[in-house]
Amino acid sequence: MTKAKPFLVNENPNYRFAELARMPETQLVMLVPLRIWQRLPEYIAAYEAVSLAGRFGADPGDYEWEWIPNPEGLRWWRRNQDGYESLFGMCVGVRRKDMVELYGMVDVDENSPFWAEVIPEEAANPLPVQAKLIARERRCREEDVLAELYRQYFRERGMLTSDNPGEPSTRRGTIREVERFQAALKGLFERAAKTLLPSELNTQTQ
């Protein structure tokens, strides 16, 4: 069974990210201007916080971010096609003068609609059939068997970040998923840089 190879998505290969040794789970590093980073708490709270979606869900792309104050960081609650969010990526920022070093990773739990997204067709197609046969033989729930087959698939590839009996398992992202997270972060930074914050709107009206 082929294990997932470790990788690091990094647009700044000549820059030394000093905290990498302390965060071996990192899959993505970025440099963000401090002036943009400092805008994020107010910007997210006003325009893109996941809590703004309320209990009715939201369209994909709407209200997907959470600001974490201590340590400073972000969570990306990626939405499925029904508008409901699942935690998909997270990162922490370390301030360095006029820049912020960002250390991120994709982390998907097995209750997420994106959990099985990266299982290739040649494995995904036979697993439900296999689960049905095993469930019939053992007289147990087909859903439970399929969940264990998915877990085993990621376990054999070394992709599980949490694998404790009785608890939902989580897996790390593939390089394509991390690149998706990177693109989402870039979009967030661009919008935060261009959008007037509520405090700036108040200043203009005075």
Side-chain angles (χ1 to χ4, degrees):
M1 203 63 71
T2 304
K3 287 212 169 190
K5 295 179 181 177
F7 61 86
L8 182 67
V9 176
N10 179 9
E11 288 186 342
N12 305 93
N14 296 325
Y15 180 89
R16 181 179 175 273
F17 287 86
E19 304 300 323
L20 265 179
R22 293 175 54 195
M23 302 186 213
E25 68 278 10
T26 298
Q27 295 183 299
L28 167 69
V29 287
M30 298 175 71
L31 286 176
V32 186
L34 179 60
R35 58 181 175 77
I36 294 177
W37 184 255
Q38 290 173 321
R39 296 175 66 83
L40 292 178
E42 186 179 357
Y43 172 77
I44 289 173
Y47 299 109
E48 299 201 27
V50 67
S51 58
L52 294 175
R55 64 188 181 86
F56 299 107
D59 292 329
D62 292 340
Y63 313 119
E64 293 186 330
W65 295 95
E66 181 184 3
W67 172 261
I68 309 298
N70 186 27
E72 289 184 337
L74 296 166
R75 289 183 183 144
W76 185 32
W77 294 81
R78 182 182 163 201
R79 291 191 178 277
N80 65 15
Q81 292 303 312
D82 296 324
Y84 294 98
E85 75 279 355
S86 297
L87 184 60
F88 192 82
M90 60 189 77
C91 56
V92 63
V94 179
R95 297 189 182 211
R96 306 286 187 198
K97 295 184 180 178
D98 61 343
M99 300 296 290
V100 173
E101 298 173 356
L102 211 61
Y103 301 84
M105 66 179 295
V106 166
D107 202 33
V108 181
D109 76 65
E110 64 181 310
N111 296 320
S112 165
F114 308 111
W115 169 256
E117 190 177 68
V118 296
I119 296 180
E121 268 186 35
E122 61 266 24
N125 289 338
L127 286 182
V129 177
Q130 190 178 343
K132 185 176 289 189
L133 294 173
I134 294 173
R136 189 178 302 160
E137 182 183 325
R138 296 180 185 171
R139 297 183 179 180
C140 57
R141 280 168 31 101
E142 188 178 320
E143 294 85 353
D144 294 338
V145 176
L146 183 58
E148 181 52 41
L149 291 177
Y150 280 142
R151 253 181 252 122
Q152 186 62 27
Y153 178 88
F154 290 124
R155 188 180 292 127
E156 290 174 351
R157 281 155 183 77
M159 291 180 69
L160 292 186
T161 52
S162 175
D163 188 19
N164 301 315
E167 298 177 6
S169 296
T170 60
R171 66 163 174 83
R172 59 176 50 86
T174 64
I175 191 166
R176 296 291 170 256
E177 289 180 309
V178 173
E179 288 172 343
R180 185 195 294 265
F181 184 30
Q182 180 189 41
L185 285 165
K186 286 181 176 180
L188 173 70
F189 300 148
E190 288 172 9
R191 295 189 297 275
K194 294 187 295 186
T195 305
L196 281 173
L197 302 178
S199 60
E200 294 168 338
L201 288 168
N202 294 337
T203 303
Q204 285 191 355
T205 56
Q206 288 175 0

